[in-house]
Amino acid sequence: MLALMAAAIGIGASAGEALWMRDVKISPDGTRIAFTYKGDIYTVGVKGGEARRLTTLGSYESNPIWSPDGSRIAFASDRHGNFDVFVMDANGGNATRLTTNSAGEIPETFTPDGKNVLFSAAIQNPAESSMFPSGRMTELYSVSVEGGKSRQIVGTPVQMPVFTPDGKKMLYQDVKGFEDEWRKHHTSSVSRDIWCYDLATGRHTNLTDRPGEDRNPVVSSDGKTVYILSERDGGTFNLWQFPVDNPSAARRMTDFKTHPVRFPSRASNGVMAFGYDGGIYTMASDSAAPERIPVEINADTEVPVVKRGVRPGEAVVSPDGMCLSRRLNIPPQCRLHIPLPLNVILAGGMITARCITLQSVTAIKISTVLKSPGRKTPILRMRRL
């Protein structure tokens, strides 16, 4: 029997202190912190407390960024298939889709005037580029907060960019190779560095030319100090700072031992926020000790599973005997899940399908390919109806 499962969005609510909050980003005025939790965007006060859920769809949302005035939040969502850039009011409401390319687009930062969002995507290398086309080697683009056509800003990978206060330069982390971005203690010729990009001249200057990892630049409000994550001294990722005109004078700000610090950001009042060991921490000043803030999540988290089956006589065999097709009507906001292993025996053939999950579909046609000449691995094909 062809066994199928549809996992619907749950109704039961749970409350308690949350863990594994990601994409931590403090608001420009230092009063709120945006973050990702279980594929949704939340905000919470800088002192902690009950978080406010901004997105509620069955899709996956991530990478929230604040507009310069703190009134809007841009984020990535796969509600239409691949990741696109959306923008919404910082207090919640309907989100506006800004990008529609088939590539995955991830928002990086707003322009200083708040009129555009910069995002990374592997869409099109410049004609003069010698880089091998790859989804890992993205380009930097700009799109209006009102939507419309995007334009390319830089044809090489520019990740985590931040503007200097005068808006004339950007600091960013590069990508030189295909190493996992979450790898710890990475030391090689392709480890990440912090660069400064002059928007007027187009010149890129390496500020941290060393074998180890330096990443996630943040700039002080006066533009004189740069904050980064680094594994210098052989330790885990910690917060470091250095004068923008003297990168060699770097000094460590935190002293975590076991896990890496992630997702640093800084408000205009000097308060910093970052993630560590699944929690959110803040630092009131450069010399203050990090403090973990309590974050309470009250949200639907239960996911009851409803089994759907295909009984003999319900499926349709293709004329060539190679496909088994079945139409399923899936309730809105449900996830269609095909478990592993899935064994189907028909016309003397047997296949084992991998686990596949599709979100937010209303009806789908499943064709199980039982014979595929020239392929050792059978194919499971799906098509929206």
Side-chain angles (χ1 to χ4, degrees):
M1 182 181 74
L2 183 61
L4 300 173
M5 295 182 181
I9 301 300
I11 300 177
S14 65
E17 186 171 354
L19 283 175
W20 302 116
M21 295 163 286
R22 304 173 61 81
D23 305 325
V24 177
K25 190 76 69 172
I26 194 168
S27 62
D29 63 2
T31 60
R32 290 184 290 175
I33 298 173
F35 62 92
T36 301
Y37 179 71
K38 291 187 176 180
D40 279 306
I41 307 299
Y42 291 79
T43 60
V44 68
V46 73
K47 298 296 183 181
E50 183 176 341
R52 181 174 186 172
R53 187 177 182 180
L54 301 185
T55 60
T56 59
L57 299 184
S59 50
Y60 189 90
E61 279 74 43
S62 64
N63 301 88
I65 58 172
W66 295 88
S67 62
D69 63 1
S71 65
R72 295 179 173 183
I73 292 177
F75 60 94
S77 174
D78 66 355
R79 61 188 65 182
H80 296 298
N82 57 282
F83 280 111
D84 291 306
V85 177
F86 289 76
V87 67
M88 70 188 310
D89 188 278
N91 293 318
N94 293 328
T96 300
R97 185 182 185 183
L98 302 184
T99 63
T100 58
N101 195 279
S102 58
E105 296 121 349
I106 303 297
E108 299 284 5
T109 188
F110 279 81
T111 52
D113 60 9
K115 295 181 178 180
N116 298 276
V117 176
L118 303 189
F119 64 92
S120 290
I123 298 176
Q124 179 66 59
N125 286 334
E128 64 275 11
S129 175
S130 61
M131 296 181 62
F132 183 80
S134 168
R136 295 287 296 274
M137 297 297 179
T138 57
E139 306 89 41
L140 186 68
Y141 296 86
S142 175
V143 64
S144 168
V145 293
E146 305 300 327
K149 185 178 180 179
S150 61
R151 65 185 181 92
Q152 189 176 102
I153 304 298
V154 183
T156 54
V158 172
Q159 294 185 344
M160 309 294 176
V162 290
F163 284 93
T164 55
D166 59 12
K168 296 180 179 180
K169 297 179 180 180
M170 281 194 308
L171 272 66
Y172 68 92
Q173 70 180 39
D174 65 0
V175 178
K176 306 184 191 73
F178 300 94
E179 186 55 65
D180 190 323
E181 64 175 314
W182 305 112
R183 178 183 173 184
K184 296 176 286 186
H185 311 300
H186 173 212
T187 301
S188 76
S189 59
V190 298
S191 59
R192 292 166 180 81
D193 285 307
I194 305 300
W195 292 71
C196 180
Y197 175 63
D198 190 311
L199 277 73
T201 65
R203 181 178 180 180
H204 300 258
T205 303
N206 192 336
L207 302 182
T208 59
D209 189 7
R210 51 181 296 274
E213 288 274 330
D214 294 304
R215 57 185 306 162
N216 295 82
V218 178
V219 182
S220 62
S221 300
D222 60 10
K224 296 180 179 180
T225 306
V226 179
Y227 307 88
I228 64 171
L229 295 182
S230 182
E231 290 183 311
R232 303 179 189 215
D233 294 344
T236 188
F237 276 110
N238 272 287
L239 274 172
W240 290 69
Q241 70 172 44
F242 59 79
V244 68
D245 57 357
N246 188 15
S248 61
R251 70 175 184 88
R252 187 168 56 193
M253 299 172 60
T254 60
D255 192 28
F256 292 101
K257 301 295 185 183
T258 306
H259 305 292
V261 174
R262 303 288 192 189
F263 319 115
S265 60
R266 191 177 191 271
S268 58
N269 61 3
V271 177
M272 295 198 71
F274 58 87
Y276 176 77
D277 195 24
I280 296 178
Y281 286 72
T282 60
M283 291 177 62
S285 67
D286 291 1
S287 59
E291 295 184 5
R292 180 168 179 163
I293 67 170
V295 179
E296 183 177 303
I297 299 290
N298 292 298
D300 295 337
T301 58
E302 297 295 328
V303 184
V305 176
V306 179
K307 293 185 177 181
R308 298 286 177 100
V310 178
R311 295 185 295 272
E314 292 186 336
V316 178
V317 181
S318 63
D320 59 6
M322 295 178 65
C323 292
L324 175 68
S325 298
R326 160 68 169 157
R327 180 187 174 104
L328 298 174
N329 292 316
I330 309 299
Q333 305 302 324
C334 288
R335 296 179 179 179
L336 179 65
H337 180 73
I338 297 181
L340 176 69
L342 172 63
N343 293 324
V344 178
I345 301 178
L346 182 66
M350 184 180 77
I351 65 100
T352 300
R354 297 187 177 185
C355 174
I356 296 178
T357 300
L358 295 179
Q359 297 181 4
S360 301
V361 295
T362 57
I364 199 166
K365 180 179 180 180
I366 299 182
S367 298
T368 305
V369 177
L370 300 178
K371 299 177 182 179
S372 182
R375 290 183 60 93
K376 294 182 179 179
T377 305
I379 307 170
L380 185 69
R381 294 177 178 171
M382 292 186 175
R383 179 171 64 85
R384 290 181 184 273
L385 296 177

